[in-house]
Every structure is written in structure tokens, then in C-alpha cells.
Amino acid sequence: MLIGSTPQVQQKKNYYHHGFDFPKLKPFDITPNWLLDEELNKLHYADLVSVQSHACNLNLSPKRLVDKEYSGIFNYAYHLDAGKFTNLLSKHAIEKLGVENIKATVIDVSTTNDGYINGVTTEEAGFIDGDFFVDCTGFKGLLINETLKGEFINKGDILLADTALAIQVPYEDEEQEIPPFTISTAQKKWLDLGYRLENQTWCGLCLL
């Protein structure tokens, strides 16, 4: 997966590529010359140190149909449907690893005299004891904050982007071409990040 831009954005000359491969700087590092030479600086840096940007401009995928799984011509990453991936991991853990999956709502947390969590009480499955608990309740912090009284350390004063919104948008036309890269568009107050899966577009807004 490559980060790129649309042909409409490319025509405006205000875009850049963030490749997934390491810049080709040997046997000659062009970086100092690109920084100092005004004519050379007019060219995109990625075009001089990588072929990935050229593949993006041609709307080409980083791998071919004949390539093996998890391999390709260029480095890339996968975008996954998080919901489907969760179900896949759950199925694998239950069927292959013997994990017991209990879906229940936690209504109370039990601790020892030393303050360690030794169990949770749920609406659907009653009391569940255990030796090790992982808090996956996000900002609610059911175990870490509400039970163990752990302090939430706010870093909002140094974070440039401290708010994010993720949404799923269905395709108007499911036959439309899927770009082989992620498209990120900078706005005045936020960063618009979008990538396409098989049947929908995932959009993310990072507010500044």
C-alpha cells in the first residue's frame, strides 16, 4: 500500500508521496543536492530516490497477481476490515488454540486485599476469575482508572492532532476502481485520510 494522491491533486502540483521503501541513497546520496539546487528542488524528492512514487502516478499496484502472499515488487501494507479481522482472530483462537470466548457485560470488578484484580462480575456469565486482566475499555478505563485508580496523563498540550473520527462510507458505484494507495488530503483544520476496501471506503479525520 502506497500513500499517494489523485490525478486531480497531481495537476495542482501540491502533493507528495510517502513511500514504504527506504530511499535509495547509495552509492550516491542526492539529498544535499536536492536541498540546495533550486532546479533539482522543483522535482519531487520521492521521484529521485524511489520508484514507488512513479508506480503511484501510473496507478499501479505494489504487487502482481502472480506474486506470493505477503510479497511484491515494492514494500506495502494492508488495510483490513477491523470487524472481520476480529472475527477471524476469535474463530482461530477458539477452534485452533482452545480459547474460551465469553461475551458479557462487566458490571463489577473484584480485587484482593493487596489491590490486585482477581475477577469480574458480568450480567450474562456471572463471576469470572482470573490471574491476568487486560483493560480494553479505551478511555473509560474500567479496570485501570475506575478500579485501580490509575492516573490519566493528558498530553493535549503537546499533541498536534488530539482528535480523530473514523467512518465507513458505502460506494455509490461498487464497480469503481480501487486506488492501490492511501489518499490523504490536508485541510486547514484537519487531515482527511481515506482508503478503500472491497465494498466501502474507510475515512478518517484527524483534527488539529
Side-chain angles (χ1 to χ4, degrees):
M1 184 68 65
L2 307 174
I3 298 179
S5 58
T6 63
Q8 292 79 9
V9 173
Q10 293 176 15
Q11 292 174 2
K12 297 179 181 179
K13 305 299 182 182
N14 59 349
Y15 72 98
Y16 71 94
H17 293 287
H18 187 292
F20 264 46
D21 60 349
F22 192 79
K24 301 298 187 293
L25 304 178
K26 294 182 179 180
F28 177 73
D29 183 1
I30 198 174
T31 307
N33 297 275
W34 181 79
L35 292 172
L36 297 174
D37 190 310
E38 293 185 0
E39 290 301 317
L40 192 61
N41 189 258
K42 293 178 181 179
L43 302 175
H44 288 283
Y45 181 73
D47 293 344
L48 302 176
V49 297
S50 170
V51 295
Q52 284 194 330
S53 60
H54 300 283
C56 276
N57 289 333
L58 294 173
N59 208 35
L60 297 177
S61 171
K63 66 178 300 179
R64 303 162 298 181
L65 292 176
V66 297
D67 292 327
K68 297 180 180 180
E69 289 186 342
Y70 312 113
S71 64
I73 303 175
F74 312 125
N75 293 337
Y76 65 94
Y78 283 105
H79 281 304
L80 302 175
D81 186 315
K84 292 182 178 180
F85 189 56
T86 299
N87 293 335
L88 175 65
L89 292 179
S90 177
K91 181 179 179 181
H92 176 75
I94 295 171
E95 297 180 356
K96 302 296 183 180
L97 305 179
V99 174
E100 182 181 4
N101 184 16
I102 302 174
K103 296 182 179 181
T105 305
V106 176
I107 57 177
D108 191 31
V109 181
S110 175
T111 59
T112 65
N113 292 333
D114 296 330
Y116 294 101
I117 297 174
N118 62 357
V120 293
T121 301
T122 69
E123 288 184 356
E124 296 84 357
F127 182 78
I128 302 174
D129 63 338
D131 299 317
F132 188 77
F133 293 84
V134 179
D135 193 336
C136 300
T137 60
F139 284 109
K140 179 177 177 59
L142 179 61
L143 304 183
I144 295 176
N145 301 114
E146 295 186 7
T147 302
L148 301 180
K149 307 303 179 184
E151 180 185 2
F152 175 76
I153 302 176
N154 192 330
K155 295 294 184 178
D157 59 325
I158 60 175
L159 291 176
L160 296 179
D162 60 359
T163 304
L165 174 66
I167 57 176
Q168 304 171 27
V169 181
Y171 292 144
E172 294 182 0
D173 178 12
E174 293 189 358
E175 299 299 322
Q176 64 180 318
E177 184 179 6
I178 299 178
F181 46 74
T182 300
I183 300 173
S184 180
T185 306
Q187 308 290 348
K188 288 184 177 181
K189 296 294 184 179
W190 70 86
L191 182 66
D192 182 2
L193 179 67
Y195 58 90
R196 296 180 178 180
L197 297 179
E198 181 180 1
N199 56 1
Q200 61 190 355
T201 298
W202 284 62
C203 300
L205 297 179
C206 296
L207 307 182
L208 305 179

